[in-house]
Amino acid sequence: MESQTPPDPQGADRPRVIRRHGVVTRVWHWVNAVAVLILLGSGLGISNAHPRLYWGRYGANFDPAWATLPRFPSWLTIPANYNLAISRRWHLLFALVLGFGLLAYMIGGLVTRHFQRDLRIRGRELRPAALWADLKHHLAFRFHDPRDPRAYNLFQKLSYALVLFVALPLAILTGIALSPGMNAAWPWVLEILGGRQSARSIHFITASLLALFTIVHLVLVILAGAGNEVRSMITGRWRVPE
């Protein structure tokens, strides 16, 4: 007869810890977090220089604007005092950090098969019953599948896919179109976007959506357990909630 290992009464209550985030994801997450925060702050400083948005090739003080933006307070802008030149320097510097960081993450995600393994959306996940079940779990603040706690749920996959493959590339593309040096090298970028003012409007809208995503992301991190979530993004190890 085979001997059986007696159950460990202390281990029964021990929390289950899994490896959830790889090195590539963790490094890119923190580099991207810093870059996005500085880009948003410096972008608001640039916006304060002319807080009006237009469509088309041209737009100035006496042209009809489709949106008039508020003047953002100094505690939101980089630098805190109004200085358009410094805001632009911060913005251009961390635009490079964002762009090359995203490129490195894309390459790493393909090499490690992170995208195919963790972020691929399967047909069965888009069925109405699955969507409804996922929504109910979110409303109940249950953000993981107990059967496979490492897996991302559908709403996480959709939001990450939109940010990674739509919002961030569009923000970078419109930023390239607005840069005088890039515009001189690749004038066709402005053409496909409908003109300089259209590119500026799309850039602001995209940045606003990224800011909204960041706020929602932070709120959900707090609801899911900030300590556990932040620790997992530093060490890669995540404690599965009961």
Side-chain angles (χ1 to χ4, degrees), residues 192-207:
I192 65 174
L193 292 170
R196 184 175 185 81
Q197 294 304 323
S198 294
R200 183 170 178 263
S201 292
I202 297 170
H203 192 72
F204 185 87
I205 293 170
T206 308

Side-chain angles (χ1 to χ4, degrees), residues 13-34:
D13 298 329
R14 195 172 300 158
R16 183 183 173 196
V17 177
I18 63 173
R19 183 177 178 81
R20 198 179 197 197
H21 302 296
V23 175
V24 173
T25 299
R26 300 200 310 269
V27 171
W28 178 77
H29 175 275
W30 293 112
V31 171
N32 192 59
V34 173

Side-chain angles (χ1 to χ4, degrees), residues 210-234:
L210 288 170
L212 178 61
F213 170 82
T214 302
I215 293 170
V216 172
H217 177 67
L218 292 174
V219 170
L220 292 178
V221 164
I222 293 171
L223 292 175
N228 190 31
E229 297 296 325
V230 172
R231 183 177 59 250
S232 72
M233 196 51 75
I234 295 174

Side-chain angles (χ1 to χ4, degrees), residues 39-235:
L39 283 168
L40 289 174
S42 57
L44 295 181
I46 295 171
S47 172
N48 281 346
H50 188 76
R52 291 160 64 86
L53 297 175
Y54 313 88
W55 292 115
R57 296 176 180 272
Y58 309 107
N61 291 333
F62 300 105
D63 294 321
W66 71 268
T68 300
L69 306 174
R71 182 171 183 82
F72 297 100
S74 60
W75 59 271
L76 277 177
T77 65
I78 296 176
N81 59 307
Y82 174 72
N83 191 317
L84 179 59
I86 293 180
S87 291
R88 281 177 170 169
R89 290 176 187 173
W90 279 103
H91 205 72
L92 291 173
L93 174 61
F94 279 87
L96 293 174
V97 175
L98 179 75
F100 284 109
L102 180 62
L103 177 61
Y105 177 67
M106 291 289 190
I107 295 172
L110 290 172
V111 170
T112 62
R113 298 187 61 81
H114 168 56
F115 296 149
Q116 302 94 312
R117 183 183 64 249
D118 300 322
L119 298 182
R120 182 163 63 94
I121 299 172
R122 294 163 176 83
R124 64 176 183 275
E125 295 177 297
L126 297 174
R127 294 172 183 168
L131 288 168
W132 177 241
D134 220 24
L135 177 61
K136 288 193 296 184
H137 290 158
H138 266 72
L139 294 176
F141 304 136
R142 295 196 301 270
F143 304 117
H144 73 283
D145 185 349
R147 297 165 298 181
D148 186 9
R150 192 179 184 279
Y152 293 97
N153 60 57
L154 177 61
F155 287 112
Q156 288 173 324
K157 290 180 180 181
L158 289 173
S159 60
Y160 293 158
L162 288 173
V163 167
L164 287 172
F165 302 113
V166 180
L168 286 175
L170 187 58
I172 293 170
L173 178 66
T174 51
I176 288 173
L178 292 172
S179 171
M182 296 295 186
N183 183 226
W186 303 319
W188 55 267
V189 177
L190 269 185
E191 295 299 323
I192 65 174
L193 292 170
R196 184 175 185 81
Q197 294 304 323
S198 294
R200 183 170 178 263
S201 292
I202 297 170
H203 192 72
F204 185 87
I205 293 170
T206 308
S208 300
L209 293 176
L210 288 170
L212 178 61
F213 170 82
T214 302
I215 293 170
V216 172
H217 177 67
L218 292 174
V219 170
L220 292 178
V221 164
I222 293 171
L223 292 175
N228 190 31
E229 297 296 325
V230 172
R231 183 177 59 250
S232 72
M233 196 51 75
I234 295 174
T235 67

